[in-house]
Coordinates of all heavy atoms in Angstrom, one line a residue:
Chain B
F242 N 8.0 -10.6 49.0 CA 7.9 -9.3 49.7 C 7.6 -9.5 51.1 O 8.0 -8.7 52.0 CB 6.8 -8.4 49.0 CG 6.7 -7.0 49.6 CD1 7.6 -6.0 49.3 CD2 5.7 -6.8 50.5 CE1 7.5 -4.8 49.8 CE2 5.6 -5.5 51.1 CZ 6.5 -4.5 50.8
V243 N 6.8 -10.5 51.4 CA 6.5 -10.8 52.8 C 7.3 -12.0 53.4 O 6.9 -12.7 54.3 CB 5.0 -11.1 53.0 CG1 4.2 -9.8 52.8 CG2 4.5 -12.2 52.1
G244 N 8.4 -12.2 52.8 CA 9.3 -13.2 53.3 C 8.9 -14.6 53.0 O 9.4 -15.6 53.5
A245 N 8.0 -14.8 52.0 CA 7.6 -16.1 51.6 C 8.6 -16.5 50.5 O 9.3 -15.7 50.0 CB 6.2 -16.2 51.1
G246 N 8.6 -17.8 50.2 CA 9.5 -18.3 49.1 C 9.0 -18.1 47.7 O 8.1 -17.3 47.5
G247 N 9.5 -18.9 46.8 CA 9.0 -18.8 45.4 C 10.0 -18.1 44.5 O 11.0 -17.6 45.0
L248 N 9.6 -18.0 43.3 CA 10.5 -17.4 42.3 C 10.7 -15.9 42.5 O 11.7 -15.3 42.0 CB 10.0 -17.8 40.9 CG 10.2 -19.3 40.6 CD1 9.3 -19.6 39.3 CD2 11.6 -19.6 40.3
G249 N 9.7 -15.3 43.1 CA 9.9 -13.9 43.5 C 11.1 -13.6 44.2 O 11.8 -12.6 44.1
V250 N 11.6 -14.6 45.0 CA 12.8 -14.5 45.8 C 14.0 -14.2 44.8 O 14.8 -13.4 45.1 CB 13.1 -15.7 46.7 CG1 14.4 -15.7 47.3 CG2 12.0 -15.8 47.7
A251 N 14.0 -15.0 43.8 CA 15.1 -14.9 42.8 C 15.1 -13.5 42.1 O 16.1 -12.8 42.0 CB 15.0 -16.0 41.7
I252 N 13.8 -13.1 41.7 CA 13.7 -11.9 41.0 C 14.1 -10.7 42.0 O 14.8 -9.8 41.6 CB 12.2 -11.7 40.5 CG1 11.9 -12.8 39.5 CG2 12.0 -10.3 39.9 CD1 10.5 -12.8 39.1
Y253 N 13.5 -10.8 43.2 CA 13.8 -9.7 44.1 C 15.3 -9.6 44.5 O 15.8 -8.6 44.6 CB 12.9 -10.0 45.4 CG 12.6 -8.7 46.2 CD1 12.4 -7.5 45.5 CD2 12.6 -8.8 47.6 CE1 12.1 -6.4 46.3 CE2 12.3 -7.6 48.3 CZ 12.1 -6.4 47.7 OH 11.8 -5.3 48.4
R254 N 15.9 -10.8 44.7 CA 17.3 -10.8 45.0 C 18.1 -10.2 43.8 O 19.0 -9.5 44.0 CB 17.8 -12.2 45.3 CG 19.2 -12.3 45.7 CD 19.7 -13.7 46.0 NE 19.0 -14.2 47.1 CZ 19.4 -15.4 47.7 NH1 20.4 -16.1 47.3 NH2 18.7 -15.8 48.8
G255 N 17.7 -10.6 42.6 CA 18.3 -10.0 41.5 C 18.2 -8.5 41.4 O 19.2 -7.8 41.1
I256 N 17.0 -8.0 41.8 CA 16.9 -6.5 41.8 C 17.7 -5.9 42.8 O 18.4 -4.9 42.6 CB 15.4 -6.1 42.0 CG1 14.6 -6.6 40.8 CG2 15.2 -4.6 42.2 CD1 13.1 -6.5 40.9
T257 N 17.7 -6.4 44.1 CA 18.4 -5.7 45.1 C 19.9 -5.9 45.0 O 20.7 -5.0 45.5 CB 18.0 -6.2 46.5 OG1 17.8 -7.6 46.5 CG2 16.6 -5.5 46.9
T258 N 20.4 -7.0 44.5 CA 21.8 -7.1 44.4 C 22.4 -6.9 43.0 O 23.5 -7.3 42.7 CB 22.3 -8.5 44.9 OG1 21.7 -9.5 43.9 CG2 21.8 -8.9 46.3
N259 N 21.6 -6.2 42.2 CA 22.0 -5.9 40.9 C 22.5 -7.0 40.0 O 23.5 -7.0 39.4 CB 23.1 -4.8 41.0 CG 23.5 -4.2 39.7 OD1 22.6 -4.1 38.8 ND2 24.8 -3.9 39.5
N260 N 21.7 -8.1 40.1 CA 22.1 -9.3 39.3 C 21.0 -9.6 38.3 O 20.0 -10.2 38.5 CB 22.2 -10.5 40.3 CG 22.8 -11.7 39.7 OD1 22.7 -11.9 38.4 ND2 23.5 -12.5 40.4
V261 N 21.3 -9.1 37.0 CA 20.3 -9.2 36.0 C 20.0 -10.6 35.6 O 18.8 -11.0 35.3 CB 20.8 -8.4 34.7 CG1 19.7 -8.4 33.7 CG2 21.2 -7.0 35.1
M262 N 20.9 -11.5 35.6 CA 20.7 -12.9 35.2 C 19.7 -13.6 36.1 O 18.8 -14.3 35.7 CB 22.0 -13.7 35.3 CG 23.0 -13.4 34.2 SD 22.2 -13.6 32.6 CE 22.8 -12.3 31.7
M263 N 19.8 -13.2 37.4 CA 18.9 -13.7 38.4 C 17.4 -13.3 38.1 O 16.5 -14.1 38.2 CB 19.3 -13.1 39.8 CG 18.9 -13.9 40.9 SD 20.3 -15.0 41.3 CE 19.7 -15.6 42.8
I264 N 17.3 -12.0 37.7 CA 16.0 -11.5 37.3 C 15.4 -12.2 36.1 O 14.3 -12.7 36.1 CB 16.0 -10.0 37.0 CG1 16.6 -9.3 38.3 CG2 14.7 -9.4 36.7 CD1 16.8 -7.8 38.0
Y265 N 16.3 -12.4 35.1 CA 15.8 -13.1 33.9 C 15.4 -14.5 34.2 O 14.3 -14.9 33.8 CB 17.0 -13.2 32.9 CG 17.2 -11.9 32.1 CD1 18.5 -11.5 31.7 CD2 16.1 -11.1 31.7 CE1 18.7 -10.4 31.0 CE2 16.3 -10.0 31.0 CZ 17.6 -9.6 30.6 OH 17.8 -8.5 29.9
I266 N 16.2 -15.3 34.9 CA 15.9 -16.7 35.2 C 14.6 -16.8 36.0 O 13.7 -17.6 35.7 CB 17.1 -17.4 35.9 CG1 18.3 -17.4 34.9 CG2 16.7 -18.8 36.2 CD1 19.5 -17.9 35.6
G267 N 14.5 -16.0 37.0 CA 13.3 -16.0 37.8 C 12.0 -15.7 37.0 O 11.1 -16.4 37.1
S268 N 12.1 -14.7 36.1 CA 11.0 -14.3 35.3 C 10.6 -15.4 34.3 O 9.5 -15.8 34.1 CB 11.2 -13.0 34.6 OG 11.7 -12.1 35.5
I269 N 11.7 -16.0 33.7 CA 11.4 -17.0 32.7 C 10.8 -18.2 33.4 O 9.8 -18.8 32.8 CB 12.8 -17.4 32.0 CG1 13.3 -16.3 31.1 CG2 12.6 -18.7 31.2 CD1 14.7 -16.5 30.6
L270 N 11.2 -18.6 34.6 CA 10.6 -19.7 35.2 C 9.2 -19.5 35.6 O 8.3 -20.3 35.5 CB 11.4 -20.1 36.5 CG 12.8 -20.7 36.2 CD1 13.6 -21.0 37.5 CD2 12.6 -22.1 35.4
V271 N 8.9 -18.2 36.0 CA 7.5 -17.9 36.4 C 6.6 -18.1 35.1 O 5.5 -18.7 35.1 CB 7.3 -16.5 36.9 CG1 5.8 -16.1 37.0 CG2 8.0 -16.4 38.3
A272 N 7.1 -17.5 34.0 CA 6.3 -17.5 32.8 C 6.1 -19.0 32.3 O 5.1 -19.4 31.9 CB 7.0 -16.7 31.7
A273 N 7.2 -19.8 32.4 CA 7.2 -21.2 32.0 C 6.1 -21.9 32.8 O 5.3 -22.7 32.3 CB 8.5 -21.8 32.1
L274 N 6.2 -21.7 34.1 CA 5.2 -22.4 35.0 C 3.8 -22.0 34.6 O 2.9 -22.9 34.5 CB 5.5 -22.0 36.5 CG 4.6 -22.7 37.5 CD1 4.8 -24.2 37.4 CD2 5.0 -22.2 38.9
A275 N 3.6 -20.7 34.4 CA 2.2 -20.2 34.1 C 1.7 -20.9 32.8 O 0.6 -21.4 32.7 CB 2.2 -18.7 34.0
I276 N 2.6 -20.9 31.8 CA 2.2 -21.4 30.4 C 1.9 -22.9 30.5 O 1.0 -23.4 30.0 CB 3.3 -21.0 29.4 CG1 3.3 -19.5 29.2 CG2 3.0 -21.8 28.1 CD1 4.5 -19.1 28.4
L277 N 2.8 -23.6 31.2 CA 2.7 -25.0 31.3 C 1.4 -25.4 32.0 O 0.7 -26.3 31.6 CB 3.9 -25.5 32.1 CG 4.3 -27.0 31.9 CD1 5.0 -27.1 30.6 CD2 5.2 -27.5 33.0
T278 N 1.2 -24.7 33.2 CA -0.1 -25.0 33.9 C -1.3 -24.7 33.1 O -2.2 -25.5 33.0 CB -0.1 -24.2 35.2 OG1 1.1 -24.3 35.8 CG2 -1.2 -24.6 36.1
D279 N -1.3 -23.6 32.4 CA -2.4 -23.3 31.6 C -2.7 -24.3 30.5 O -3.8 -24.7 30.2 CB -2.2 -21.9 30.9 CG -3.5 -21.4 30.4 OD1 -4.5 -21.3 31.1 OD2 -3.6 -21.0 29.2
G280 N -1.6 -24.8 29.9 CA -1.7 -25.8 28.9 C -2.3 -27.1 29.4 O -3.2 -27.7 28.8
C281 N -1.9 -27.5 30.6 CA -2.5 -28.7 31.2 C -3.9 -28.5 31.5 O -4.8 -29.4 31.3 CB -1.7 -29.0 32.6 SG -0.1 -29.5 32.3
L282 N -4.3 -27.3 32.0 CA -5.7 -27.0 32.3 C -6.5 -27.0 31.1 O -7.7 -27.4 31.1 CB -5.8 -25.7 33.1 CG -5.3 -25.7 34.5 CD1 -5.4 -24.4 35.2 CD2 -6.0 -26.8 35.3
Q283 N -5.9 -26.5 30.0 CA -6.7 -26.5 28.7 C -7.0 -28.0 28.3 O -8.1 -28.2 27.9 CB -5.9 -25.8 27.6 CG -6.7 -25.6 26.4 CD -5.9 -24.7 25.4 OE1 -4.7 -24.5 25.5 NE2 -6.6 -24.2 24.4
L284 N -6.0 -28.8 28.4 CA -6.3 -30.2 28.1 C -7.4 -30.8 29.0 O -8.3 -31.5 28.6 CB -5.0 -31.1 28.3 CG -4.0 -30.9 27.2 CD1 -2.7 -31.7 27.6 CD2 -4.5 -31.2 25.8
L285 N -7.3 -30.5 30.3 CA -8.2 -31.0 31.3 C -9.6 -30.4 31.0 O -10.6 -31.1 31.1 CB -7.8 -30.5 32.7 CG -8.2 -31.3 33.8 CD1 -7.7 -32.7 33.8 CD2 -7.8 -30.6 35.1
E286 N -9.6 -29.2 30.5 CA -10.9 -28.5 30.2 C -11.6 -29.3 29.0 O -12.8 -29.6 29.1 CB -10.7 -27.1 29.8 CG -12.0 -26.3 29.6 CD -11.7 -24.8 29.5 OE1 -10.5 -24.4 29.3 OE2 -12.6 -24.0 29.5
T287 N -10.9 -29.6 28.0 CA -11.4 -30.3 26.9 C -12.0 -31.7 27.4 O -13.0 -32.1 27.0 CB -10.4 -30.6 25.8 OG1 -9.4 -29.5 25.9 CG2 -11.0 -30.6 24.4
Y288 N -11.2 -32.3 28.2 CA -11.5 -33.6 28.7 C -12.8 -33.5 29.6 O -13.7 -34.3 29.4 CB -10.4 -34.2 29.6 CG -10.7 -35.5 30.2 CD1 -10.6 -36.7 29.5 CD2 -11.0 -35.5 31.6 CE1 -10.9 -37.9 30.1 CE2 -11.3 -36.7 32.2 CZ -11.2 -37.9 31.5 OH -11.5 -39.1 32.1
F289 N -12.9 -32.5 30.4 CA -14.0 -32.4 31.3 C -15.3 -32.0 30.6 O -16.4 -32.3 31.0 CB -13.7 -31.3 32.4 CG -12.9 -31.9 33.5 CD1 -12.2 -31.0 34.4 CD2 -12.8 -33.2 33.8 CE1 -11.5 -31.5 35.4 CE2 -12.1 -33.7 34.8 CZ -11.4 -32.9 35.6
I290 N -15.1 -31.3 29.4 CA -16.3 -30.9 28.7 C -17.0 -32.2 28.1 O -18.2 -32.3 28.1 CB -16.0 -29.9 27.6 CG1 -15.4 -28.6 28.1 CG2 -17.2 -29.6 26.7 CD1 -16.3 -27.8 29.1
T291 N -16.1 -33.1 27.7 CA -16.7 -34.3 27.2 C -17.1 -35.2 28.3 O -18.1 -35.9 28.2 CB -15.6 -35.1 26.4 OG1 -14.7 -34.1 25.8 CG2 -16.2 -35.9 25.2
Y292 N -16.3 -35.3 29.3 CA -16.6 -36.2 30.5 C -17.0 -35.3 31.7 O -16.2 -35.2 32.6 CB -15.5 -37.1 30.8 CG -15.1 -38.0 29.6 CD1 -14.1 -37.6 28.8 CD2 -15.8 -39.2 29.3 CE1 -13.7 -38.4 27.7 CE2 -15.5 -39.9 28.2 CZ -14.4 -39.5 27.4 OH -14.1 -40.3 26.3
R293 N -18.1 -34.7 31.6 CA -18.5 -33.7 32.6 C -18.6 -34.3 34.0 O -18.2 -33.7 35.0 CB -19.8 -33.0 32.2 CG -19.9 -31.6 32.5 CD -21.2 -31.1 32.2 NE -21.3 -30.8 30.7 CZ -21.7 -29.7 30.2 NH1 -22.0 -28.7 31.0 NH2 -21.8 -29.5 28.9
K294 N -19.0 -35.5 34.0 CA -19.2 -36.2 35.3 C -17.8 -36.3 36.1 O -17.8 -36.1 37.3 CB -19.8 -37.5 35.2 CG -21.3 -37.5 35.4 CD -22.0 -38.7 35.0 CE -22.8 -38.5 33.8 NZ -22.8 -39.5 32.8
K295 N -16.8 -36.6 35.3 CA -15.5 -36.7 36.0 C -15.1 -35.3 36.6 O -14.5 -35.3 37.6 CB -14.4 -37.1 34.9 CG -14.7 -38.5 34.3 CD -13.6 -39.4 34.6 CE -14.0 -40.9 34.3 NZ -14.2 -41.1 32.8
G296 N -15.4 -34.2 35.8 CA -15.1 -32.9 36.3 C -15.8 -32.6 37.6 O -15.3 -32.0 38.5
L297 N -17.1 -33.0 37.6 CA -17.9 -32.8 38.8 C -17.4 -33.6 40.0 O -17.3 -33.1 41.1 CB -19.3 -33.1 38.5 CG -19.9 -32.1 37.5 CD1 -21.3 -32.6 37.1 CD2 -20.0 -30.7 38.1
A298 N -17.0 -34.8 39.7 CA -16.4 -35.7 40.8 C -15.2 -35.0 41.3 O -15.0 -34.9 42.5 CB -16.1 -37.0 40.2
F299 N -14.4 -34.4 40.4 CA -13.2 -33.7 40.8 C -13.5 -32.6 41.8 O -12.8 -32.4 42.8 CB -12.5 -33.2 39.5 CG -11.3 -32.3 39.7 CD1 -10.1 -32.9 40.1 CD2 -11.4 -31.0 39.5 CE1 -9.0 -32.1 40.2 CE2 -10.2 -30.2 39.6 CZ -9.1 -30.8 40.0
I300 N -14.5 -31.8 41.4 CA -14.9 -30.7 42.3 C -15.4 -31.2 43.7 O -15.0 -30.7 44.7 CB -16.1 -29.9 41.7 CG1 -15.6 -29.1 40.5 CG2 -16.7 -28.9 42.7 CD1 -16.6 -28.1 40.0
R301 N -16.2 -32.3 43.6 CA -16.7 -32.9 44.8 C -15.6 -33.3 45.8 O -15.5 -33.0 46.9 CB -17.6 -34.1 44.5 CG -18.9 -33.9 45.1 CD -19.9 -35.1 44.9 NE -19.5 -36.2 44.0 CZ -19.9 -36.3 42.8 NH1 -20.6 -35.3 42.2 NH2 -19.5 -37.3 42.1
Y302 N -14.6 -34.0 45.2 CA -13.5 -34.5 46.0 C -12.7 -33.3 46.5 O -12.2 -33.3 47.7 CB -12.6 -35.4 45.2 CG -13.2 -36.8 45.1 CD1 -13.5 -37.3 43.8 CD2 -13.5 -37.5 46.2 CE1 -14.1 -38.6 43.7 CE2 -14.1 -38.8 46.1 CZ -14.4 -39.3 44.9 OH -15.0 -40.5 44.8
S303 N -12.5 -32.2 45.7 CA -11.8 -31.1 46.2 C -12.4 -30.5 47.4 O -11.7 -30.1 48.4 CB -11.8 -30.0 45.1 OG -11.3 -30.5 43.9
F304 N -13.8 -30.5 47.4 CA -14.4 -29.9 48.6 C -14.3 -30.9 49.8 O -14.0 -30.5 50.9 CB -15.9 -29.7 48.3 CG -16.2 -28.4 47.8 CD1 -16.1 -28.1 46.4 CD2 -16.6 -27.3 48.6 CE1 -16.3 -26.9 45.9 CE2 -16.8 -26.1 48.1 CZ -16.7 -25.9 46.7
R305 N -14.4 -32.2 49.5 CA -14.4 -33.1 50.6 C -13.0 -33.2 51.3 O -12.9 -33.4 52.5 CB -14.7 -34.5 50.0 CG -15.2 -35.5 51.0 CD -15.8 -36.7 50.3 NE -17.0 -36.3 49.6 CZ -17.6 -37.1 48.7 NH1 -17.1 -38.3 48.4 NH2 -18.7 -36.7 48.1
F306 N -11.9 -32.9 50.5 CA -10.6 -33.1 51.1 C -10.0 -31.7 51.5 O -8.8 -31.7 51.9 CB -9.7 -33.8 50.2 CG -10.1 -35.3 50.0 CD1 -10.5 -35.7 48.8 CD2 -10.1 -36.1 51.1 CE1 -10.9 -37.1 48.6 CE2 -10.5 -37.4 51.0 CZ -10.9 -37.9 49.8
A307 N -10.8 -30.7 51.5 CA -10.4 -29.4 51.9 C -9.6 -29.4 53.2 O -8.6 -28.8 53.4 CB -11.5 -28.4 51.9
W308 N -10.2 -30.1 54.2 CA -9.6 -30.1 55.5 C -8.2 -30.7 55.5 O -7.3 -30.2 56.2 CB -10.5 -30.8 56.5 CG -10.7 -32.3 56.2 CD1 -11.6 -32.8 55.4 CD2 -9.9 -33.3 56.7 NE1 -11.5 -34.2 55.4 CE2 -10.4 -34.5 56.2 CE3 -8.8 -33.4 57.6 CZ2 -9.9 -35.8 56.4 CZ3 -8.2 -34.7 57.8 CH2 -8.8 -35.8 57.3
I309 N -7.9 -31.7 54.7 CA -6.6 -32.3 54.6 C -5.6 -31.3 54.2 O -4.5 -31.1 54.7 CB -6.6 -33.5 53.7 CG1 -7.5 -34.6 54.2 CG2 -5.2 -34.0 53.5 CD1 -7.5 -35.8 53.4
V310 N -6.0 -30.5 53.2 CA -5.1 -29.5 52.7 C -4.8 -28.4 53.8 O -3.7 -28.0 54.0 CB -5.6 -28.8 51.4 CG1 -4.7 -27.7 50.9 CG2 -5.8 -29.8 50.3
V311 N -5.8 -28.0 54.5 CA -5.7 -27.1 55.5 C -4.6 -27.6 56.5 O -3.7 -26.9 56.9 CB -7.0 -26.8 56.3 CG1 -6.8 -25.9 57.5 CG2 -8.0 -26.1 55.3
V312 N -4.8 -28.9 56.9 CA -3.8 -29.5 57.9 C -2.4 -29.5 57.3 O -1.5 -29.1 57.9 CB -4.3 -30.9 58.2 CG1 -3.2 -31.6 59.0 CG2 -5.6 -30.9 59.0
L313 N -2.3 -29.9 56.0 CA -1.0 -29.9 55.4 C -0.3 -28.6 55.3 O 0.9 -28.4 55.5 CB -1.1 -30.5 54.0 CG -1.3 -32.0 53.8 CD1 -1.4 -32.4 52.4 CD2 -0.1 -32.7 54.5
V314 N -1.1 -27.5 55.1 CA -0.5 -26.2 55.0 C -0.1 -25.7 56.4 O 0.9 -25.1 56.5 CB -1.6 -25.2 54.4 CG1 -1.0 -23.8 54.5 CG2 -1.9 -25.6 53.0
L315 N -0.9 -26.0 57.4 CA -0.6 -25.5 58.7 C 0.5 -26.3 59.3 O 1.3 -25.7 60.1 CB -1.8 -25.5 59.6 CG -3.0 -24.6 59.1 CD1 -4.2 -24.7 60.0 CD2 -2.5 -23.2 59.0
F316 N 0.7 -27.5 59.0 CA 1.6 -28.4 59.6 C 3.1 -27.8 59.7 O 3.6 -27.8 60.7 CB 1.6 -29.8 58.9 CG 2.4 -30.8 59.6 CD1 2.0 -31.3 60.9 CD2 3.6 -31.3 59.1 CE1 2.7 -32.2 61.6 CE2 4.3 -32.2 59.8 CZ 3.9 -32.7 61.0
P317 N 3.6 -27.4 58.5 CA 5.0 -26.9 58.6 C 5.2 -25.7 59.5 O 6.3 -25.4 59.8 CB 5.3 -26.5 57.1 CG 4.2 -27.1 56.3 CD 3.0 -27.3 57.2
Y318 N 4.1 -25.1 59.9 CA 4.3 -23.9 60.7 C 4.2 -24.1 62.2 O 4.3 -23.2 62.9 CB 3.2 -22.8 60.3 CG 3.4 -22.5 58.8 CD1 2.5 -22.9 57.9 CD2 4.5 -21.7 58.4 CE1 2.6 -22.6 56.6 CE2 4.7 -21.4 57.1 CZ 3.7 -21.9 56.2 OH 3.9 -21.6 54.9
E319 N 4.1 -25.4 62.5 CA 4.0 -25.6 64.0 C 5.4 -25.3 64.5 O 6.4 -25.3 63.9 CB 3.5 -27.0 64.3 CG 4.6 -28.0 64.1 CD 4.1 -29.4 64.3 OE1 3.2 -29.6 65.2 OE2 4.7 -30.3 63.7
Y320 N 5.4 -25.2 65.8 CA 6.6 -24.7 66.5 C 7.7 -25.7 66.5 O 7.6 -26.8 66.8 CB 6.3 -24.4 67.9 CG 7.4 -23.8 68.7 CD1 7.8 -22.5 68.5 CD2 8.1 -24.5 69.6 CE1 8.8 -21.9 69.2 CE2 9.1 -24.0 70.4 CZ 9.5 -22.7 70.1 OH 10.6 -22.2 70.8
H321 N 8.9 -25.3 65.9 CA 10.1 -26.1 65.9 C 11.0 -25.6 67.0 O 11.3 -24.4 67.0 CB 10.8 -26.1 64.6 CG 10.1 -26.7 63.5 ND1 9.8 -28.0 63.4 CD2 9.5 -26.1 62.4 CE1 9.1 -28.3 62.3 NE2 8.9 -27.1 61.7
S322 N 11.4 -26.4 67.9 CA 12.4 -25.9 68.9 C 13.8 -26.0 68.3 O 14.0 -26.7 67.3 CB 12.3 -26.7 70.2 OG 12.5 -28.1 69.9
N323 N 14.7 -25.3 68.9 CA 16.1 -25.3 68.4 C 16.3 -24.7 67.0 O 17.3 -25.1 66.3 CB 16.7 -26.7 68.4 CG 17.0 -27.1 69.9 OD1 16.7 -26.4 70.8 ND2 17.5 -28.3 70.1
V324 N 15.3 -24.0 66.5 CA 15.5 -23.3 65.3 C 15.5 -21.8 65.5 O 14.6 -21.2 66.1 CB 14.4 -23.7 64.3 CG1 14.5 -22.8 63.0 CG2 14.5 -25.1 63.9
I325 N 16.6 -21.2 65.0 CA 16.7 -19.7 65.2 C 16.2 -19.1 63.9 O 16.8 -19.4 62.8 CB 18.1 -19.3 65.5 CG1 18.6 -20.0 66.8 CG2 18.3 -17.8 65.6 CD1 17.9 -19.6 68.0
K326 N 15.2 -18.2 63.9 CA 14.7 -17.6 62.7 C 15.4 -16.3 62.5 O 15.3 -15.4 63.3 CB 13.2 -17.5 62.8 CG 12.5 -18.9 62.7 CD 11.1 -18.8 63.3 CE 11.2 -18.8 64.8 NZ 9.9 -18.7 65.4
I327 N 16.1 -16.2 61.3 CA 16.8 -14.9 61.0 C 16.2 -14.3 59.8 O 15.8 -14.9 58.8 CB 18.3 -15.3 60.7 CG1 18.9 -15.9 62.0 CG2 19.0 -14.0 60.3 CD1 20.4 -16.2 61.9
A328 N 16.0 -12.9 59.9 CA 15.5 -12.2 58.8 C 16.5 -11.4 58.1 O 17.5 -11.0 58.8 CB 14.3 -11.3 59.3
G329 N 16.4 -11.1 56.8 CA 17.3 -10.2 56.1 C 16.6 -9.0 55.5 O 15.5 -9.2 55.0
K330 N 17.3 -7.9 55.5 CA 16.7 -6.7 54.8 C 16.9 -6.8 53.3 O 17.8 -7.5 52.8 CB 17.4 -5.5 55.3 CG 17.1 -5.1 56.7 CD 17.7 -3.8 57.1 CE 16.7 -2.8 57.5 NZ 17.2 -1.5 57.8
P331 N 16.0 -6.2 52.5 CA 16.1 -6.3 51.1 C 17.1 -5.4 50.4 O 16.8 -4.6 49.6 CB 14.7 -5.9 50.6 CG 14.3 -4.9 51.7 CD 14.9 -5.3 53.0
T332 N 18.4 -5.5 50.9 CA 19.5 -4.8 50.2 C 20.6 -5.8 50.1 O 20.6 -6.8 50.8 CB 20.0 -3.6 51.1 OG1 20.4 -4.2 52.4 CG2 18.9 -2.6 51.4
T333 N 21.6 -5.5 49.3 CA 22.7 -6.3 49.1 C 23.4 -6.6 50.5 O 23.7 -7.7 50.8 CB 23.8 -5.7 48.2 OG1 23.1 -5.4 46.9 CG2 24.9 -6.6 47.9

Side-chain angles (χ1 to χ4, degrees):
Chain B
F242 184 78
V243 292
L248 292 164
V250 172
I252 297 173
Y253 203 39
R254 182 178 297 188
I256 292 171
T257 43
T258 64
N259 189 32
N260 189 333
V261 184
M262 288 303 141
M263 205 92 173
I264 303 176
Y265 281 145
I266 296 174
S268 312
I269 290 170
L270 288 176
V271 172
L274 181 61
I276 292 169
L277 204 74
T278 311
D279 193 56
C281 292
L282 288 179
Q283 189 172 14
L284 288 179
L285 206 63
E286 190 170 7
T287 333
Y288 177 79
F289 279 161
I290 298 301
T291 332
Y292 303 95
R293 218 180 280 234
K294 263 170 247 139
K295 299 240 167 68
L297 292 169
F299 176 73
I300 291 192
R301 235 182 354 263
Y302 284 118
S303 305
F304 272 84
R305 202 164 294 167
F306 292 116
W308 64 271
I309 296 183
V310 179
V311 172
V312 170
L313 283 179
V314 173
L315 295 180
F316 189 67
Y318 299 107
E319 78 181 330
Y320 183 76
H321 292 291
S322 56
N323 287 359
V324 172
I325 303 295
K326 288 159 286 180
I327 298 182
K330 291 182 118 187
T332 57
T333 304

